[in-house]
Amino acid sequence: MLTERYRVRITEEKLNPSDATDFASSERHGATVVFHGVTRNHTDSRKVILLEYEAYIPMAVKKLEEIASEMCSKWDVRVAIDHRLGRVDIGEESLVVAVGSPHRQAAFEAADYSVDRIKQTVPIWKKEHFEGGEIWIGDVDGFRPLEQKSN
Amino acid sequence: MTEVTVLYFATYREQAGVSTERMSVTGDRVNLGELMRKICLEHPNITSESNKIVAAVNEEYQDHDHILNNGDTVALIPPVSGGCQTY
């Protein structure tokens, strides 16, 4: 039986990083790199209260799978990517990426690559609720998903 | 006549005041750019210029010269969450 080398999840539940880590682990591996994207209590001088995530779920799953599949073709890795939706309080994870590999360099490189790609192409949006207001986060000038496609 | 389903998310959903609607554009070879112009006329609260809106057709990003088919699902994609200083 062919064992999948990656899995992706989008959920409103609190993320469980050890679950992603377990998926990415293998007896063949000498390294597991786990990235936690966490709600921070400030943006510049604004005091952040919480973040709220929204997704175009079927397309977001498809894009996350594409990224995980790209990682597996570029490096010898196993990959788990979990993204949370809805309200995410300070200190809680919105994104967990676990990458396991026989050697640390591939695991670090693949994890770094995945977070950049996720931020470029996956249709998930974040609303920042801060003291005195709220704002959808995004940088129009930096958003070029079609150009990224040709990488 | 080309009829499609349009999905709005995040900023665009709030500006348009709807999350999904059916929309028809007259003509047989209607492209994505023409639909974006119609959407911006019908939803003047959408502040982006129509030619700058990124959109996906049936869950894939497409250029504005992409020709639409009856029954397509078109999603307006605001800049995604990581555009600036997250994480």
Side-chain angles (χ1 to χ4, degrees):
Chain A
M1 193 181 105
L2 182 71
T3 310
E4 283 291 342
R5 288 171 60 203
Y6 62 85
R7 69 142 176 82
V8 309
R9 282 185 192 156
I10 292 181
T11 175
E12 296 217 351
E13 308 285 307
K14 212 166 172 172
L15 299 184
N16 180 358
S18 66
D19 185 65
T21 308
D22 287 348
F23 180 90
S25 300
S26 153
E27 289 187 350
R28 290 180 59 242
H29 290 170
T32 309
V33 169
V34 185
F35 173 81
H36 298 228
V38 176
T39 301
R40 183 172 47 207
N41 70 359
H42 69 283
T43 297
D44 301 328
S45 57
R46 287 201 298 272
K47 189 168 178 217
V48 174
I49 299 162
L50 63 94
L51 298 177
E52 189 185 341
Y53 287 85
E54 172 178 332
Y56 178 15
I57 293 174
M59 182 171 169
V61 168
K62 197 165 151 183
K63 292 289 154 195
L64 287 175
E65 284 174 344
E66 281 174 18
I67 292 167
S69 168
E70 280 171 37
M71 292 163 72
C72 291
S73 64
K74 284 177 189 243
W75 294 278
D76 180 7
V77 289
R78 284 177 63 81
V79 178
I81 304 177
D82 294 343
H83 208 302
R84 189 167 166 195
L85 298 183
R87 170 193 169 131
V88 182
D89 290 327
I90 307 291
E92 292 184 353
E93 287 92 356
S94 53
L95 172 66
V96 170
V97 180
V99 185
S101 177
H103 302 288
R104 71 180 183 283
Q105 190 181 358
F108 276 121
E109 283 178 10
D112 192 31
Y113 171 85
S114 72
V115 179
D116 286 342
R117 293 292 283 152
I118 289 166
K119 291 162 66 154
Q120 286 160 352
T121 66
V122 181
I124 296 180
W125 301 278
K126 175 169 80 179
K127 186 184 245 184
E128 183 183 288
H129 295 256
F130 56 90
E131 278 190 350
E134 55 182 49
I135 186 175
W136 286 103
I137 301 295
D139 172 10
V140 177
D141 294 332
F143 185 54
R144 297 281 181 274
L146 284 172
E147 288 168 25
Q148 294 299 338
K149 222 166 56 168
S150 61
N151 280 357
Chain B
M1 181 84 94
T2 303
E3 192 178 62
V4 299
T5 300
V6 183
L7 308 179
Y8 301 88
F9 295 97
T11 309
Y12 294 144
R13 177 173 47 72
E14 292 183 354
Q15 291 174 345
V18 293
S19 54
T20 177
E21 65 183 341
R22 303 281 291 173
M23 199 168 275
S24 304
V25 186
T26 315
D28 287 336
R29 286 181 58 80
V30 174
N31 71 28
L32 190 56
E34 291 168 69
L35 177 68
M36 291 303 123
R37 282 195 289 281
K38 175 163 177 159
I39 286 171
C40 286
L41 285 174
E42 294 200 5
H43 296 290
N45 288 335
I46 292 181
T47 50
S48 301
E49 292 170 49
S50 70
N51 61 355
K52 301 234 171 86
I53 294 176
V54 172
V57 179
N58 302 331
E59 301 172 12
E60 285 297 338
Y61 291 111
Q62 297 294 351
D63 285 315
H64 280 196
D65 57 8
H66 177 84
I67 302 293
L68 297 171
N69 290 309
N70 253 325
D72 279 349
T73 297
V74 178
L76 275 67
I77 310 282
V80 299
S81 74
C84 50
Q85 67 284 43
T86 70
Y87 306 133

